[in-house]
Amino acid sequence: QQQVKQSPQSLIVQKGGISIINCAYENTAFDYFPWYQQFPGKGPALLIAIRPDVSEKKEGRFTISFNKSAKQFSLHIMDSQPGDSATYFCAARGLYNNNDMRFGAGTRLTVKP
Amino acid sequence: EAGVAQSPRYKIIEKRQSVAFWCNPISGHATLYWYQQILGQGPKLLIQFQNNGVVDDSQLPKDRFSAERLKGVDSTLKIQPAKLEDSAVYLCASSPGDGNSPLHFGNGTRLTVT
């Protein structure tokens, strides 16, 4: 049933480095691609999202790159900080179908000081 | 704005017992979702309500899981009888209901079935 594949499973980055998490999707009907951040003991929280009419979206240190032809998108965290240590989930759904949201398996990011 | 409230935070039961989880969504949010998050996996939708009606319960194991949202506000998810493989975090989420708004998640209930 998995329709969104996420890699890597875990990632260790030094403070100040760039964290890159990749996702690939199968369903061409997907047209909304959010990233969620989850801290231990907390629910996921929306971090940033993109629609396929643009190839990149940047919010502060967080950037989504989107490749529609390859059906891939990625999250880049610039100048990674220890406070960014969390699990990150990519997701995909149809534009107006929250009930069709498919999540990736998650990436556990550790940023070392 | 108060967030999505869930209780209890933790629950440990033996297999074949029953358990219930409660969720109070953000005020005014018409849509409520229950997700199951197994350790090491992303959340998986169990059921979606629009006000007090079910929109999608296609992935809900209906032989043992049930959910209700009688007054269109808070919701209860029940498992009866529980199996070992039900051990997971159960997340409740809500959204205003226009289908395009982001999901707001609660902190979840961690269920351990022994």
Side-chain angles (χ1 to χ4, degrees):
Chain A
Q1 200 228 9
Q2 182 184 15
Q3 296 187 32
V4 180
K5 295 183 179 180
Q6 183 173 346
S7 63
Q9 192 173 17
S10 62
L11 180 62
I12 299 174
V13 173
Q14 290 294 131
K15 178 182 176 181
I18 302 173
S19 304
I20 301 175
I21 305 171
N22 300 301
C23 282
Y25 63 98
E26 300 170 359
N27 189 340
T28 56
F30 290 149
D31 55 10
Y32 175 72
F33 304 90
W35 284 89
Y36 284 82
Q37 180 188 55
Q38 185 176 29
F39 293 104
K42 302 293 185 181
L46 179 66
L47 185 64
I48 186 173
I50 196 169
R51 296 199 175 119
D53 52 343
V54 296
S55 60
E56 186 175 283
K57 182 175 181 180
K58 183 176 181 179
E59 290 184 1
R61 297 183 294 109
F62 300 91
T63 299
I64 300 178
S65 296
F66 186 82
N67 185 330
K68 187 174 182 177
S69 61
K71 293 188 287 185
Q72 295 176 347
F73 58 110
S74 60
L75 176 69
H76 293 63
I77 306 175
M78 312 300 289
D79 187 27
S80 299
Q81 299 297 311
D84 297 331
S85 297
T87 299
Y88 292 81
F89 294 95
C90 61
R93 67 161 168 84
L95 186 58
Y96 297 107
N97 294 320
N98 266 332
N99 59 310
D100 198 32
M101 183 89 78
R102 296 287 186 257
F103 286 85
T107 297
R108 177 174 288 187
L109 172 66
T110 302
V111 181
K112 292 197 168 184
Chain B
E1 173 182 81
V4 176
Q6 289 189 248
S7 66
R9 289 285 282 132
Y10 306 93
K11 191 72 177 180
I12 300 174
I13 62 172
E14 295 181 351
K15 60 184 179 184
R16 291 187 290 274
Q17 286 186 325
S18 63
V19 65
F21 313 125
W22 174 82
C23 172
N24 191 27
I26 293 173
S27 178
H29 279 194
T31 310
L32 184 147
Y33 313 78
W34 284 101
Y35 283 84
Q36 180 191 57
Q37 186 176 20
I38 293 173
L39 186 64
Q41 298 181 20
K44 185 186 83 170
L45 179 69
L46 293 175
I47 188 168
Q48 177 187 349
F49 292 94
Q50 182 75 14
N51 296 308
N52 60 350
V54 175
V55 174
D56 184 355
D57 63 357
S58 58
Q59 298 183 76
L60 187 73
K62 298 180 186 64
D63 59 332
R64 299 183 299 105
F65 287 64
S66 64
E68 60 183 15
R69 193 186 185 199
L70 292 176
K71 296 182 179 178
V73 181
D74 56 354
S75 176
T76 302
L77 176 69
K78 297 180 181 178
I79 307 175
Q80 181 179 13
K83 292 185 175 182
L84 296 176
E85 59 261 36
D86 298 332
S87 295
V89 175
Y90 290 84
L91 294 164
C92 179
S94 70
S95 70
D98 59 6
N100 194 32
S101 299
L103 302 179
H104 298 262
F105 284 90
N107 289 331
T109 295
R110 182 178 295 277
L111 174 67
T112 301
V113 182
T114 63

